[in-house]
Amino acid sequence: MIRIENLVKSFGPKRAVDGVSFNVERGEVLGFLGPNGAGKSTTMRMITGFIPPTEGKIAVGGYDVTESPLEAKRLIGYLPEAAPAYPDMTVHGFLAFAADMRGLTGGAKHKAIDRVVELCFLDSVLHQGIDTLSKGYKHRTCLAQALIHDPEVLVLDEPTDGLDPNQKHEVRNLIRELGRTKAVVFSTHILEEVDAACTRAIIIDRGRIVANGTPAELRGMSGLAGAVTVSGQGVSADKLAPLGRVEVADGAYRVFPADKAAAGELAREVAALATRESWRLEALRTEEGQLDEVFRRITLPDTVKK
Amino acid sequence: MISAWKTVRTIARRELASYFTSPVAYVFLVIFLLLTGFFTFTAGGFFERGEASLASFFGWHPWLYLVLVPAVGMRLWSEERRSGTLELLLTMPVTTWQAILGKFLASWAFLAIALALTFPVVLTVNVLGDPDNGVIATGYFGSLLLSGSYLAISCMTSAMTRNQVVAFILGVVICLFLILCGFNPVTDLLARWASPAVVDTVAAFSVIPHFDGFQKGVIDSRDLFYFLSVIGFALFATGVILRNHRAG
């Protein structure tokens, strides 16, 4: 649904987005990760046609965003970063405006408003002015606007920003649910959201894609991935040493495999060793790797320099 | 084509409603009506003139609009830019031109409402004497075009900045230039160092001579063309400014 080829955006001499290419198909939820200022919002603004790209091509549903912007924009629902909404309108008035702009009329318009009000839990504030809403409600009002025409492509810039933990949970579930039938791109810097909602994630840093894969693949890039952590009475580092490099952490021993591909074997070998040596094990597990470690390792040099 | 016009109307309706949901509209209407009343009857010497015309009413409009119209137009784009709703609006299926036209027409309609509410002046002059109502009608038409020109300029200055005060001041200055550039003291000043051709060109931008034609009951196609081209140019410039702003 979304095809991006070699996208570049320059602001003066600075290349905010520098040669980004990726595709998002229907049924995919793509998480867009990166430190602040990495180019996430700029990329999303180009996908939604708000700012023109300096170079490169973006097609949404087969329509080139620069050549046929109206057709492309019709397919997209967009939640901008700060979740802007007209403060002088009521929630209902605002959603009715969004429905009108999307060409919905009569019964379809009423149905669409009812649907998004329910999806985004806006019932209690429906006739309240947007300027009187709390941040969470304002955010969900803008999200409702993005969903009103049941778009095939959703672009959400930090959809869970400013929400409380319960609301975050609801919105993540909603994104995952919507992702079954739509192409969804959302940006975040909360790494647990990648696990909670994404089918695929891209890490972007200084305008370039530095990692692209499923959450499991990204975790696999962690130095920790594939290591086996073992703890219990009698466990000794000397005995584990032949299996790989051993580290001691928090009273547990962590064995790193010499060959990552054979990581599955390692747990079995440790278990066999434990039986032979009659260790009384309390825990034995294969580490999946941690996203935040991968994220820091890939993007840290940049953040430190600033 | 039909759906394009529908989009313009949707934007215009929202914009017009936003005037009336805030106190801005009522404050503006009250001040506008008080000031027109004051200028017409007191400063304009409506009764002392002893003639059944609205010359004392319309004569003040270029000056009255100078302050009031930029106050109406200043928020059009700067507010959208400041609150981030510009991004929301322009990522909906609209072209920049539809958005500009919709917002401009809404504010112009608001100014038309304000102007229509001055109808008691027309009644007064009709009760007291026997005025030429055709002249009054063209006067109103000219006044509407004048407010539209100022508004289009304010729309343009509003697109330049996210600060409404800056937009207001720039708007007033440009409109003031349009009033003053035809005045003799200004043209005399210019004539000291500029060639007569330049002086004539600058003077031709003046809004007053074009406005005066309508007060005499004449709808001259050149005057009409002048106002429409000011509106057209300013709205076109608004589009260019918005596009440059988005291109970064």
Side-chain angles (χ1 to χ4, degrees):
Chain A
M1 288 301 285
I2 306 177
R3 301 197 170 275
I4 294 177
E5 269 172 53
N6 194 30
L7 193 63
V8 174
K9 180 72 202 180
S10 309
F11 293 111
K14 187 175 177 265
R15 281 162 94 89
V17 175
D18 192 1
V20 165
S21 305
F22 63 86
N23 294 334
V24 188
E25 299 305 330
R26 198 188 294 272
E28 262 193 309
V29 179
L30 177 72
F32 223 48
L33 302 170
N36 290 330
K40 301 186 296 274
S41 290
T42 308
T43 305
M44 294 185 139
R45 284 175 169 170
M46 285 191 279
I47 297 174
T48 54
F50 181 60
I51 57 177
T54 312
E55 280 171 44
K57 271 198 176 311
I58 309 169
V60 176
Y63 295 106
D64 188 291
V65 171
T66 19
E67 279 159 25
S68 9
L70 286 186
E71 287 81 357
K73 284 195 261 187
R74 268 188 203 112
L75 296 174
I76 303 175
Y78 178 39
L79 171 71
E81 192 177 9
Y86 292 104
D88 51 298
M89 301 179 96
T90 64
V91 172
H92 187 271
F94 178 67
L95 294 177
F97 169 68
D100 285 338
M101 292 295 287
R102 299 293 184 173
L104 296 167
T105 48
K109 179 174 155 184
H110 285 293
K111 258 201 208 135
I113 294 174
D114 289 346
R115 187 176 55 84
V116 295
V117 164
E118 199 186 315
L119 272 180
C120 301
F121 310 99
L122 291 169
D123 215 15
S124 57
V125 295
L126 198 52
H127 297 288
Q128 216 166 305
I130 287 175
D131 53 353
T132 66
L133 296 182
S134 68
K135 196 176 174 194
Y137 274 116
K138 195 181 155 219
H139 212 92
R140 280 184 282 164
T141 304
C142 196
L143 179 63
Q145 161 281 133
L147 299 172
I148 194 125
H149 53 304
D150 199 16
E152 294 186 55
V153 175
L154 268 176
V155 179
L156 310 171
D157 202 347
E158 300 194 1
T160 56
D161 184 47
L163 302 182
D164 69 36
N166 293 333
Q167 296 167 337
K168 278 194 168 97
H169 181 75
E170 294 292 346
V171 169
R172 276 176 215 156
N173 285 348
L174 181 62
I175 291 172
R176 201 172 45 215
E177 197 58 42
L178 292 166
R180 286 187 218 285
T181 53
K182 303 174 194 305
V184 183
V185 181
F186 81 94
S187 72
T188 179
H189 37 231
I190 304 171
L191 293 159
E192 57 199 84
E193 280 179 359
V194 175
D195 273 321
C198 294
T199 58
R200 199 151 60 86
I202 282 179
I203 301 180
I204 181 169
D205 183 35
R206 276 176 289 174
R208 289 171 178 279
I209 291 179
V210 288
N212 181 355
T214 63
E217 282 168 358
L218 289 186
R219 269 199 307 270
M221 293 169 70
S222 161
L224 203 58
V228 170
T229 305
V230 57
S231 64
Q233 284 178 5
V235 179
S236 89
D238 293 343
K239 291 271 166 31
L240 287 168
L243 299 175
R245 191 166 55 84
V246 181
E247 266 180 21
V248 184
D250 301 332
Y253 296 85
R254 191 169 280 162
V255 190
F256 291 87
D259 176 14
K260 263 196 184 182
E265 289 295 305
L266 187 61
R268 271 197 290 277
E269 284 170 23
V270 173
L273 182 69
T275 321
R276 274 204 307 279
E277 301 288 335
S278 329
W279 293 340
R280 293 172 63 188
L281 290 189
E282 284 159 8
L284 173 69
R285 68 170 185 277
T286 306
E287 300 288 347
E288 289 186 307
Q290 284 163 354
L291 274 176
D292 61 344
E293 196 231 313
V294 177
F295 183 83
R296 270 203 308 276
R297 195 161 49 80
I298 295 178
T299 62
L300 196 60
D302 189 37
T303 318
V304 169
K305 246 189 307 189
K306 279 175 195 162
Chain B
M1 194 59 211
I2 291 166
S3 83
W5 177 240
K6 236 187 100 189
T7 306
V8 171
R9 256 186 19 217
T10 304
I11 293 173
R13 210 171 41 228
R14 196 210 72 73
E15 193 69 34
L16 190 59
S18 83
Y19 280 109
F20 288 97
T21 47
S22 68
V24 177
Y26 305 101
V27 170
F28 177 86
L29 288 176
V30 168
I31 290 178
F32 177 73
L33 295 176
L34 281 177
L35 286 179
T36 46
F38 170 76
F39 280 121
T40 307
F41 292 105
T42 311
F46 176 79
F47 295 111
E48 290 79 356
R49 278 168 185 257
E51 54 181 88
S53 83
L54 287 183
S56 62
F57 171 68
F58 288 119
W60 291 102
H61 282 194
W63 298 99
L64 203 55
Y65 286 154
L66 176 63
V67 182
L68 292 180
V69 172
V72 170
M74 67 182 183
R75 50 179 282 284
L76 278 178
W77 293 102
S78 51
E79 178 68 16
E80 298 256 0
R81 281 179 60 168
R82 196 187 55 76
S83 68
T85 44
L86 183 65
E87 190 171 354
L88 194 71
L89 181 65
L90 294 182
T91 52
M92 287 177 171
V94 295
T95 63
T96 312
W97 304 117
Q98 287 167 350
I100 290 172
L101 198 61
K103 287 170 83 72
F104 171 75
L105 289 178
S107 329
W108 204 10
F110 175 69
L111 291 174
I113 292 170
L115 191 58
L117 287 176
T118 60
F119 70 91
V121 197
V122 183
L123 296 183
T124 309
V125 77
N126 270 292
V127 167
L128 294 176
D130 187 18
D132 184 342
N133 280 319
V135 174
I136 291 179
T138 60
Y140 267 104
F141 183 55
S143 179
L144 192 62
L145 284 174
L146 177 71
S147 68
S149 306
Y150 282 9
L151 183 66
I153 288 163
S154 312
C155 188
M156 175 181 78
T157 60
S158 178
M160 290 175 183
T161 168
R162 61 179 62 206
N163 186 325
Q164 293 194 20
V165 177
V166 174
F168 174 77
I169 292 170
L170 282 175
V172 170
V173 167
I174 296 177
C175 293
L176 184 63
F177 169 79
L178 285 188
I179 294 180
L180 290 183
C181 62
F183 268 30
N184 285 337
V186 178
T187 48
D188 290 349
L189 195 70
L190 263 180
R192 284 191 203 160
W193 50 270
S195 69
V198 173
V199 176
D200 284 349
T201 312
V202 172
F205 279 111
S206 177
V207 74
I208 303 290
H210 297 288
F211 182 61
D212 281 347
F214 289 99
Q215 307 322 316
K216 297 185 185 106
V218 183
I219 299 182
D220 189 324
S221 58
R222 279 170 301 179
D223 296 337
L224 202 58
F225 182 74
Y226 169 82
F227 283 117
L228 292 181
S229 55
V230 169
I231 293 172
F233 173 79
L235 292 184
F236 176 74
T238 307
V240 172
I241 291 165
L242 286 177
R243 194 163 54 227
N244 286 344
H245 163 64
R246 284 160 69 191

